[in-house]
Every structure is written in structure tokens, then in C-alpha cells.
Amino acid sequence: MAMLKGSCLCGGVAYRADGPIHHASHCYCTMCQKQHGAAAGSYANVRADGFVVERGQELVVEYASSEHGRRGFCRVCGSTLTWRSTQSPDTIAVTLGTLEPPYDGPVERELYSETKPAWLPVRET
């Protein structure tokens, strides 16, 4: 069983997530683009009961971005930490960019590819 560890930019929040990773994804929805300030939000989905904030729980804020979507972030530095759905309470998604060491597994899914930005570079083969 894999153990993921991560933290925010300022280091105030540290978390761990017990595996396994159900899947990793890049989400190109416009809400993820706005929240991350990037082309996509990149996540690893894990069991919610295996997710623990080890340091800085008081710094974690959740924003209800939709009727069911909840986005967790550090209130000091703004790092996006998690995404979860009230419709799937057994799963939480941790952001790949906050993992330490960096995530080196596969990304199996691309979500909302119809809003994938045209300005992304084309992959050279």
C-alpha cells in the first residue's frame, strides 16, 4: 500500500494519504483552471479515510465551488491541496503538485478535455 505525503508552498500544512491511488487525472474544467491558474488541476484519488492532515489543520480552508465540489487550500499561501465531492464521500483527491517526493506514476484520465486550452504545447514525438 503506497503512502503519499505532501505539503503546501509555505510549509504550514502537511498531509499524508494512505494508498492505493485509485487513479490520477488532469482536469481541464474551467473551475480547476481558475483555481490552479493553470491549464488543469492534477490529482491523485485516494480513500478519504486514509487522508490525514498531520500539521496545520487550522490553516486548511474549503471552498464550495459547486453544489457538491469542495476545494481545500492553505489560507496562508493559497496552495490547492484537495478536491472532494459530497456525492463521493469515500474518496478525496490530493493535488499532484503538492506531493513530496514528486509523483512519478501514470496519469490515467483527462477530464473535461473539451475545455483543454489551445495554448498548451503540442507534444513532440
Side-chain angles (χ1 to χ4, degrees), residues 24 26 30 37 54 60 62 65 74 86 89 97-98 108-109 124-125:
H26 296 307
T30 56
E54 295 182 316
V60 178
E62 273 197 345
S65 59
C74 172
T86 58
T98 61
E108 295 95 349
R109 296 183 183 175
E124 301 277 333
T125 57

Side-chain angles (χ1 to χ4, degrees), residues 1-93:
M1 181 180 295
M3 165 93 66
L4 302 176
K5 289 186 172 246
S7 66
C8 65
L9 179 62
C10 72
V13 178
Y15 68 85
R16 77 170 191 270
D18 298 329
I21 294 172
H22 299 294
H23 65 268
S25 62
H26 296 307
C27 181
Y28 297 104
C29 80
T30 56
M31 284 189 280
C32 280
Q33 290 173 9
K34 285 190 176 284
Q35 183 185 22
H36 292 267
S42 298
Y43 304 96
N45 290 283
V46 297
R47 289 185 351 262
D49 64 3
F51 178 79
V52 176
V53 176
E54 295 182 316
R55 179 180 68 244
Q57 178 64 56
E58 72 281 2
L59 302 178
V60 178
V61 178
E62 273 197 345
Y63 172 67
S65 59
S66 68
E67 193 173 294
H68 68 91
R70 304 293 181 264
R71 298 168 183 275
F73 62 95
C74 172
R75 69 180 169 112
V76 174
C77 65
S79 291
T80 302
L81 301 166
T82 60
W83 184 91
R84 67 183 183 87
S85 172
T86 58
Q87 296 172 340
S88 302
D90 295 340
T91 302
I92 190 165

Side-chain angles (χ1 to χ4, degrees), residues 107-119:
V107 174
E108 295 95 349
R109 296 183 183 175
E110 288 192 325
L111 309 170
Y112 296 94
S113 57
E114 66 274 9
T115 51
K116 188 174 185 176
W119 48 262

